[in-house]
Each structure stands twice: as structure tokens, then as C-alpha cells.
Amino acid sequence: MDSSNEPRYGNEVAQIEPIGIEHIQESERHGTVSSIFTLWFGANVELATITTGVAAVALFGLSFWQAAAGLLLGNIMGALIQGSVSTFGPRLGVPQMVQSRSAFGFFGNFLPGTLNLIDGALWFAVNTVLGTFAFTTLLHTSFLLGLVVMVVAQVVVAIYGHNMIHAVERVMAGLLTLVFIAVSIFAFSHAHYSLPFNSASPLGRYSGISGGIIEAVGLAFSYLLGWTVYASDYTRYLPGKTPSGAVFRTAASANFIAAFWLELVGVALATVFPQAAEGSNPIQLLVAIRPHWLIDLALLAVMFGTVTANVLNIYSGSLSALVINVPLKRWMAAVGVGVVGAVVAYIGHRSFYVSFENFLFLLGYWLAPWASVVMVDFFLIHRGRYEPTIFYNPRRRLGRGLLAWAIAIVVSIPFFNQSLYVGPIAAKYGQIGDISYYVSFLVAGLLYWIIARNAQPSKETLERHRPAQVHNHSWRRHAHKHDPLALNAIVEGQREALAVNDHGGCPERETDWISGGRELHRQLDGSGE
């Protein structure tokens, strides 16, 4: 058997993942659909999800049922998109930001790739602050010691990569679920369900009930949307024949159940402890729960939940570093993301937490139009059928998706409604809340569909520009020509089509093609056919 078809990684857990952003060959494919559920469930059962629900009450003044209605709709929308994008992985075998190159172009994709790298590092910092607060509260240590321990634990898991992450999430999903069930019993049994809308809340005074509910929709939607840009990173190793429907249902249900559940817990706790909900340290929401022994378990759950969420931020952030051609190996990029995030966490942990979180939500405005573009590209333009070379060809410099994405963001700016910036339309009509996500999503998708559909090349043009591939059935057909110079041109053309650096290319496919060329030389020179 050709050694190139033997897996280098397979289902090994204790081996550092040797693959970066290359196309995953079928011989490397492994795993089951159930692993998608435990990964996303484990990633969402954490304190940041709870604080999303807290914000609906503390910031926008919503009652329990008003907040629940908005969060329900936002989670449905986010889960549908997350489930849809997760299906790309088994079909294409490439990371999410590599698939994005189809619409944005090789270099045009550097902008969303850079934003995703920054987003991952900063979300890592915010989550690590929460985990470190829990660490210091439980063990009575200094913040610096707790920070170092938390960062090292998270970075080590991310260094080992895909299989280790799935293994950790399988274990943690079950353990965290048990702890948060106990927290839920306390929260829902003590919640004040009859509290009315608080018109004196920080943002509710401007948005009113309708605007607050719309904001709650946006909170839940943007929270799950933040995971969308990672989706295929954790499904690309699944066998290519994995049913798309099963992938969609599993990813969507895991995200919806975990996120909506924990956000409702946050809503309930905010009604029980309104002063803690308005503070800058969400850990205070947990230290007053009863019985007392549950507090320690809840703090442990926050620490481990920080790990389950942040290993995804580090890992996918490191893949984004490779997508923008940062000259590092994947595990080195993971270390870099962890170090940068740790420094930011230490600098900002004292007094900038709330503003920092607002900045991250503001940064997330790029995600909605990006998701729309890549979904239109996959489902409507290419209909799920791609040549893998399209993702690794640097000659495709700028894609039309970049234009649609940029225009959509500009169009949505007047609708921004965050504490860091309020657009003119949002300022005038506060009762509509923040609808910028939906505006940019619709504009980007519609605009990209129009310009990409009209720019689709003909079948003849596609065949003329398709990289020449040497197949066994063509060797005998052309063997009589005995033209090694032509063969060299074919092989060199194949190499040129993938002439990118070691971190951005597709070395397995290049090796297969070159090996095929050498075999053809032998067929031509020695077979006599």
C-alpha cells in the first residue's frame, strides 16, 4: 500500500496533531456524529453562557419571561446556522476559515481570518478571567498564580489538538452537566418570576420592553454565532459519507440545548441576586447559592468550563493564524494565542471586564455577514461541490464575498446599538433594539448571491482552468506520445497551482500528484505500451 494513504494521525489522542489546515484525506477520517454533541454541549456549559442570560435582565431590565422569549428566538436562529455550517466539514475536509477562501479569495480571506484570530485570543482572555476568579475564590491564591495555572492547562489541551479536545469535551460535558443541574435546581426554585420590566435599568431606559427583547435575541444569536466560525474545524475529520442531516441535527441541538438552558439559569440568578448581577464579577452570582457545598462545586465547574470553551478559542485561533500565513506550526500558533490572551487577561482583569466584553460583542458584528456569505457560497453557488484546490490557490487573490461582506457591514453601522457605539438609526428608534446583525446578514447574503451567480464561469472555462491531474486511465491513452517534457509541464503546473507556504498549502494532494507524475514517467519509459 502507498504509504501516503496511511493515516498519520487517525484517532490517536495522546499524539500532537501533525496536521494544520491541509485537506483531510479519507484515510485520516475518523470519529462519530455523537462526538459533535459532546463537544458543543461541553463548550457551552460554562459561566460565559450564564452571563449572557444575566445581561438580558441586568442590562435591559427584562422580566424572566420576556428574557426567556428573546433568548429562545436568538438561540433557535444561532443553532440553525451553526448546524448548517457544521455540515461543511465532512463534505469538504477543510477548516472553516479555509472554506471561507472560496468566497473571499486567498488573500481577501486574510481580513476575516485576522479578525477571527483576534476574536479567539480576546474571548480566551475574557473566559480565562472568569476561570481565574473562580480559582482564586476557591483556593485563596493570587490572581497571577491562578492565571498561570489556568492558561497552562488550556494551552496544553489545545497543543495536542483535535482528538484531545474531543476527548476532554466528552468527559467534561457529563461532569459539568451534573453540577449545573444542581445549580439550576437552586436558581429555578428561587427565581422571582413575577418581577416586572425594570425601566430604570442601564439600557432598558432607552430600549423599552420591545427593544430589550430584540436585544436579548441579539445576545443569544451573537453568542452562538461566535462558534459558527469554528464549526468545520471539529467536523472535518468525520468520514466523507457522514450524513449531513445527522451532523446538522447534532450540532444544532447541542448548541441550542446547552446555551438556552444555561442562559435561563443566568436569567433566574439575576432575579435572585440583582446586585450581584449588576456587578463586574459574575462569580458573585454563585457564591451566595445554597447549600454551601454547592458553591465549591459550582466554582470547580466554572474552572473546568473555562477549559472546555477556551480550548476551542485557542485551537481555532491557531488555525486562523495559519490561514493568514503566519509562519508557525499549528501547536506554536496555539501557544502564541494562549500567551497573548494571558497578557490581555492580566492587564484587563481589574477594572475593564465589562467594557472588554462589550468590545468583544462589537467585534462580533463581522460574524453575521461572514456566515451569510459562506452559507450562500456553499449552498447556492457551489451546491456543496468544490475542487479542493480552490481553497489553496493563491492566484485567487480577492473574492467577491469580500465586497459583499464589507458593504453589508457598512450598511449595518447605523443600526449598531452597544454601549461603545450607538448608530444614528438605533439612537432615534431605541425601541427596535440592535437589529444590525439581521441587516448585515440579509444584505451580505443577497448581495453575494447576485454578484457571484452572475459571475459564474461556464463549464468550458472551468475545464480549461482545471489543474491537470494524471489518472491511470489516461496513462495508456497518451503513452505512445513519449513526451516527458509535456509531462513535466503538467506536474509543474500542478505544483504551481498549490504554490503556497507549508502552512497554507495542501501537501498531501501535491505529493499524490507528483508521485503520479513519477509513476507516469516509469510507465512511459519502461512499460512499452
Side-chain angles (χ1 to χ4, degrees), residues 40 42 52 128 157 203 248 254 264 272 305 309 354 417 435 469 492 524:
W40 289 118
T52 303
T128 299
V157 175
L203 299 180
F248 170 81
L264 283 185
V272 178
V354 175
N417 193 354
I435 63 171
Q469 298 187 33
E492 289 305 314
L524 292 177

Side-chain angles (χ1 to χ4, degrees), residues 281-303:
N281 185 351
I283 294 297
Q284 298 304 313
L285 286 166
L286 301 178
V287 297
I289 62 177
R290 294 293 182 269
H292 191 272
W293 57 263
L294 184 55
I295 297 175
D296 290 347
L297 284 180
L299 294 175
L300 280 173
V302 171
M303 291 164 53

Side-chain angles (χ1 to χ4, degrees), residues 141-158:
T141 66
S142 67
F143 183 87
L144 180 59
L145 176 60
L147 178 65
V148 170
V149 173
M150 292 298 301
V151 169
V152 170
Q154 296 169 98
V155 170
V156 167
V157 175

Side-chain angles (χ1 to χ4, degrees), residues 205-274:
R205 67 184 68 179
Y206 305 110
S207 63
I209 296 177
S210 62
I213 293 176
I214 294 174
E215 292 283 7
V217 174
L219 282 173
F221 179 60
S222 62
Y223 184 81
L224 287 188
L225 201 64
W227 291 129
T228 301
V229 75
Y230 300 168
S232 291
D233 299 351
Y234 306 99
T235 60
R236 73 191 197 277
Y237 278 95
L238 290 175
K241 294 183 179 180
T242 303
S244 295
V247 174
F248 170 81
R249 290 189 298 272
T250 305
S253 61
N255 280 277
F256 174 79
I257 294 171
F260 186 51
W261 167 34
L262 267 293
E263 286 165 7
L264 283 185
V265 172
V267 172
L269 288 175
T271 67
V272 178
F273 307 118

Side-chain angles (χ1 to χ4, degrees), residues 91-142:
R91 293 280 295 273
L92 305 179
V94 298
Q96 195 67 64
M97 289 306 298
V98 171
Q99 184 271 338
S100 177
R101 286 172 170 172
S102 172
F104 285 80
F106 189 89
F107 293 105
N109 197 50
F110 275 28
L111 185 52
T114 301
L115 289 173
N116 193 44
L117 175 59
I118 295 172
D119 220 356
L122 295 183
W123 268 118
F124 170 80
V126 168
N127 287 334
T128 299
V129 168
L130 296 177
T132 305
F133 280 159
F135 187 98
T136 57
T137 302
L138 182 63
L139 301 177
H140 306 289
T141 66
S142 67

